[in-house]
Amino acid sequence: MRSRPTGSVVVTGVSRFLGAHVAARLAADDRIGRVVGLDPHAPPPEFAHLLDGVEQVRGDAGSASTVIADLEAEAVVHLALITAPDQRHGGRAAMKEQNVIGTMQLLAACQQAPRLRKLVMRSSTAAYGASFRDPAVFTEDTEPREVPRGGFARDILDIEGYVRGFRRRRPDVTATVLRFAPFIGSNADTTLTRYFARPVVPTVLGRDPRLQFLHIEDALEIVHRSVVDDHAGTFNVAGAGVLSLSQAIRRAGRIPVPVLEPGLSAASNLVRNLGRSGYGLDQVDLFVHGRVVDTTRLVEEFDYTPRSTADAFDDFVSGHRGGAVLAREQLAIAERAILDGIRQARATVQEKA
Amino acid sequence: MNDDHRPDRPPRKSTRKAARRAPAQKTNGTVRPTILPTTEFVVDSPSTNGAARNGHKAPPPPAVLDHPGDVWDDRVARGLAFLRRRLAGDYEVDEFGFDPELTDKVFLPLLRLLYRDWFRTEVYGVENLPANGPALVVGNHSGTVALDALMLATALNDRTPNHRHLRLLGADLVFRMPIVSELARKSGGTVACNPDAERLLRTGELVGVFPEGFKGVGKQYAQRYKLQRFGRGGFVSAALRTGTPIVPAAIVGAEEIYPMLADIKPLARLLGLPYFPVTPTFPWLGPLGMVPLPSKWLIEFSAPIPTAHLQDQADDPLVVFNLADQVRETIQQTLHTLLERRPDPFGR
């Protein structure tokens, strides 16, 4: 509550879902003076109306230093991360360029900004890597045991390393690192929501990973609170509770198709080479190891409890009911029919006897 | 002693045995956990939240309850409701991946067949386990395949008044293997590491650990009932940090199920396993060699060793080693007394 940024706030990545919504929320908050969106791309039409109250600057992270200096920004919210390579926009090379080099340039600009008081960084629970020796539940202090295979997870490790350096050099800036679980919700559109929206869902044979989700609305709320209030530190942000992958697929009424793990890795490579953005090694790692985090620190510090993983997933399911193959109601009807059939058969047998 | 569960029953062919058990079940009511030929019919209390959320629960018709056929109607209805809940994902899994419904209705009934009818397990000292609240159960490990861990969990569930679940800590090899890792997590296991052990103990669970690890399971038959080294004593520091009592458990019988005569080290290295066993039946008889020999099992829980007074000394290696030695000695001595009680490994 101590230091509300009444000056200007720079939000990166406003051409994407998270950035556009965060910028819109901050602009609607009259405790905050100016909200400036920094993005090299123009926002697509579905987000354009959100950004009415937001000043937009076209430019990549390289131009961040001039923008931040000109605005005398008091807070920077860095959300411009790409979670999966998009072949239409340069694939993995462009993804790494934006994630790693972009963050480096942005942090370099922040370091030179004398009036900066707050930095909010988007990170991911992928920061814990994936290893068979991992504890079941990660706390913020857990160190990754193995370097993950997925490109996004490796980028996240690099990015968090740069933030550690920044914290050392600018101890006067309140730095908040938010390690988000995968986003879900009725209107979120991510690699995972597209995966669960398919009628037939590939899984890894012999593995049933534990998953956690975060409702996208809760993500927006947490970012908003990080900007408005002071919450220095690194926080796991996820819905409490766990769904196993098989359970999630069943709740969504989809059909799982177990695939041998080398097959899935090869298939994901093939899909990528064919120029479709699909499931990378990040997803394969998640589907082999699962990922569960402890959110005690978040709930205590922010005094806010995100929707549970099961509730967040239910919201997604209710928004995607159309694609369900085995809906809950159909199962109940089938159960009823079988039971009645058995009762009738037994009744006739008993009558004869 | 309350070891009333027919230790004198001879081992029989499992299929016929299960069929014969069913009529006996009707007469003696609900005294003991059921064993029936098809596991999905063993459902006795439909998980409340799943049924409630659906608003649909197969109702047992009360009008005809005293009719002899109705037991089966009830069972069919419950079995179908169970299947529907499983298919719709209407069950809960904890943060370690433990699926209590699946464990109670499917895994434990299957394990009980082995526990009661194949190994004729006798259990002593159940009163040393807490009825509620945490404890660290430390056992001796043996038998080439870690069936002793599963039997310990079954014994604990069968004999404690609240039917408690033992949360086993397994080697990372268990979690490296597909299918096995899935089953291990669903039945309540997790990786043997201090963060997980302490987290489980803090939430009041019974945690099972075998500090000998592969040195214990993979030892040869000539070394039977000789406790191996106890590693770094990580289990003791987990108990100390959480102030939970340690309950030593001595298991007799597991050494004889797959008596390991030799270890083919090159083959083990090739397959990435800690050892490759040669037993009187494996690999000679192929899959038939995987059937465990029907040894007689005895499990004894010793008096709990309190640790609450040492809570601030969890980082003192001397305290940790002394406590580990105390646990080890207790188990070793209990093993000797149990072995005297069981002169014939394959007796009744």
Side-chain angles (χ1 to χ4, degrees):
Chain A
M1 313 287 151
R2 206 159 29 86
S3 62
R4 274 184 182 144
T6 46
S8 43
V9 178
V10 174
V11 181
T12 67
V14 291
S15 72
R16 302 172 74 92
F17 187 96
L18 186 68
H21 281 81
V22 165
R25 279 182 72 131
L26 292 176
D29 189 334
D30 46 17
R31 292 172 290 185
I32 293 169
R34 252 172 111 185
V35 180
V36 179
L38 178 66
D39 202 301
H41 305 288
E46 64 259 38
F47 301 144
H49 69 279
L50 286 168
L51 298 170
D52 288 342
V54 179
E55 294 170 50
Q56 293 180 56
V57 178
R58 294 271 173 286
D60 57 11
S63 59
S65 57
T66 45
V67 173
I68 291 174
D70 289 352
L71 290 168
E72 300 192 320
E74 289 191 5
V76 170
V77 185
H78 184 39
L79 304 173
L81 297 187
I82 303 179
T83 54
D86 185 347
Q87 299 303 330
R88 283 164 303 178
H89 297 113
R92 169 69 187 139
M95 172 180 163
K96 186 168 181 179
E97 177 79 18
Q98 171 153 1
N99 287 352
V100 180
I101 309 296
T103 305
M104 272 179 92
Q105 287 172 330
L106 186 83
L107 289 176
C110 288
Q111 202 181 317
Q112 302 300 326
R115 295 200 55 190
L116 187 77
R117 284 185 299 148
K118 190 164 290 178
L119 172 72
V120 179
M121 290 285 300
R122 172 187 177 182
S123 180
S124 157
T125 52
Y128 297 110
S131 143
F132 291 109
R133 289 177 299 134
D134 282 336
V137 183
F138 298 113
T139 63
E140 284 85 351
D141 306 317
T142 314
E143 294 287 328
R145 297 191 179 208
E146 271 171 38
V147 176
R149 293 184 295 172
F152 178 64
R154 285 209 299 265
D155 290 353
I156 286 291
L157 287 183
D158 287 347
I159 290 168
E160 290 220 354
Y162 299 139
V163 180
R164 274 196 294 278
F166 175 81
R167 277 180 173 148
R168 269 199 306 278
R169 288 187 284 268
R170 284 293 301 269
D172 57 312
V173 175
T174 305
T176 309
V177 176
L178 301 170
R179 288 181 179 160
F180 290 116
F183 300 128
I184 208 152
S186 51
N187 58 355
D189 179 32
T190 66
T191 319
L192 266 186
T193 58
R194 263 170 276 147
Y195 167 85
F196 281 112
R198 300 162 49 125
V200 176
V201 186
T203 61
V204 180
L205 183 75
R207 306 277 183 194
D208 197 7
R210 297 156 300 130
L211 304 178
Q212 266 184 331
F213 302 109
L214 175 67
H215 198 282
I216 188 84
E217 296 290 332
D218 293 323
L220 300 179
E221 178 69 29
I222 293 286
V223 176
H224 190 166
R225 286 175 183 230
S226 309
V227 177
V228 177
D229 306 326
D230 270 1
H231 298 295
T234 301
F235 302 95
N236 290 329
V237 192
V242 165
L243 284 178
S244 72
L245 177 61
S246 66
Q247 194 182 11
I249 293 173
R250 288 169 189 181
R251 285 193 182 187
R254 265 59 180 185
I255 307 282
V257 180
V259 183
L260 276 173
E261 197 217 323
L264 198 65
S265 303
S268 77
N269 274 333
L270 189 70
V271 169
R272 209 169 40 216
N273 292 341
L274 290 175
R276 295 268 307 279
S277 79
Y279 318 115
L281 286 171
D282 284 304
Q283 267 68 40
V284 177
D285 266 349
L286 179 65
F287 288 166
V288 169
H289 298 271
R291 197 172 293 144
V292 178
V293 296
D294 182 295
T295 54
T296 316
R297 195 189 278 185
L298 172 89
V299 174
E300 278 175 6
E301 170 76 26
F302 284 73
D303 195 22
Y304 179 82
T305 309
R307 257 157 279 204
S308 75
T309 286
D311 289 347
F313 194 75
D314 274 351
D315 186 49
F316 162 78
V317 172
S318 64
H320 291 79
R321 193 142 278 172
V325 183
L326 265 182
R328 201 167 269 188
E329 299 75 27
Q330 288 167 321
L331 283 170
I333 293 168
E335 181 196 0
R336 201 71 246 176
I338 295 172
L339 192 60
D340 287 344
I342 291 176
R343 280 188 182 146
Q344 271 176 12
R346 290 183 67 229
T348 35
V349 169
Q350 274 167 5
E351 267 173 36
K352 277 182 188 164
Chain B
M1 279 299 122
N2 44 356
D3 303 294
D4 56 342
H5 64 85
R6 292 170 254 177
D8 52 336
R9 175 179 291 272
R12 291 194 224 122
K13 289 263 161 57
S14 60
T15 48
R16 217 185 300 157
K17 160 193 62 202
R20 247 184 260 167
R21 177 69 45 77
Q25 196 58 44
K26 277 182 202 161
T27 54
N28 69 358
T30 54
V31 182
R32 65 180 68 256
T34 30
I35 295 182
L36 285 168
T38 21
T39 45
E40 65 263 36
F41 289 163
V42 196
V43 184
D44 27 32
S45 60
S47 148
T48 44
N49 59 46
R53 191 181 304 157
N54 248 313
H56 174 80
K57 186 176 132 192
V64 271
L65 253 182
D66 41 7
H67 202 270
D70 292 320
V71 184
W72 280 103
D73 187 75
D74 200 27
R75 279 179 190 157
V76 170
R78 281 175 179 175
L80 284 171
F82 173 73
L83 277 181
R84 191 245 314 132
R85 276 203 307 282
R86 299 306 302 183
L87 285 175
D90 274 337
Y91 48 89
E92 299 300 321
V93 174
D94 83 356
E95 57 190 8
F96 295 89
F98 176 44
D99 186 336
E101 191 188 46
L102 193 67
T103 304
D104 285 341
K105 313 296 190 233
V106 179
F107 297 154
L108 282 172
L110 289 173
L111 287 173
R112 238 173 244 132
L113 292 174
L114 266 183
Y115 162 80
R116 183 179 301 156
D117 298 298
W118 193 251
F119 294 135
R120 292 118 37 225
T121 315
E122 283 178 38
V123 184
Y124 306 98
V126 199
E127 66 281 356
N128 288 321
L129 294 162
N132 299 296
L136 185 67
V137 182
V138 181
N140 58 309
H141 218 7
S142 57
T144 310
V145 176
L147 273 185
D148 48 359
L150 302 179
M151 289 303 112
L152 187 68
T154 314
L156 218 135
N157 182 264
D158 214 41
R159 304 303 299 274
T160 48
N162 298 345
H163 298 290
R164 299 198 65 180
H165 294 107
L166 183 66
R167 309 295 298 266
L168 291 165
L169 302 181
D172 53 338
L173 180 73
V174 171
F175 295 91
R176 233 170 254 279
M177 291 189 284
I179 300 173
V180 178
S181 64
E182 191 182 334
L183 294 176
R185 283 226 174 268
K186 287 189 172 168
S187 61
T190 190
V191 188
C193 62
N194 276 44
D196 280 11
E198 287 165 32
R199 201 176 176 85
L200 283 166
L201 290 172
R202 285 212 177 88
T203 48
E205 299 282 350
L206 283 178
V207 177
V209 68
F210 296 86
E212 291 170 273
F214 287 117
K215 298 187 295 294
V217 220
K219 67 180 180 291
Q220 301 201 355
Y221 189 59
Q223 298 247 288
R224 61 189 178 278
Y225 300 116
K226 286 195 187 108
L227 273 186
Q228 303 296 301
R229 203 163 53 77
F230 258 23
R232 284 166 289 182
F235 72 99
V236 174
S237 55
L240 284 181
R241 254 182 235 127
T242 51
T244 30
I246 299 175
V247 179
I251 306 168
V252 160
E255 295 278 16
E256 291 90 5
I257 56 173
Y258 302 104
M260 185 156 129
L261 305 176
D263 170 12
I264 309 179
K265 289 219 167 70
L267 203 51
R269 213 166 298 140
L270 194 69
L271 295 172
L273 297 171
Y275 50 86
F276 188 91
V278 177
T279 74
T281 54
F282 184 84
W284 326 115
L285 300 183
L288 208 61
M290 314 249 261
V291 176
L293 300 182
S295 57
K296 167 77 181 172
W297 284 47
L298 308 176
I299 298 177
E300 178 160 346
F301 297 102
S302 306
I305 301 169
T307 63
H309 60 292
L310 297 169
Q311 209 161 347
D312 51 340
Q313 295 174 47
D315 297 321
D316 186 341
L318 201 63
V319 174
V320 170
F321 279 127
N322 281 344
L323 209 56
D325 270 350
Q326 188 187 345
V327 176
R328 195 169 175 276
E329 278 307 304
T330 312
I331 298 175
Q332 185 68 69
Q333 278 168 18
T334 319
L335 282 177
H336 288 317
T337 51
L338 285 178
L339 281 170
E340 278 168 26
R341 219 178 292 174
R342 191 205 66 164
D344 175 8
F346 296 97
R348 295 184 144 192

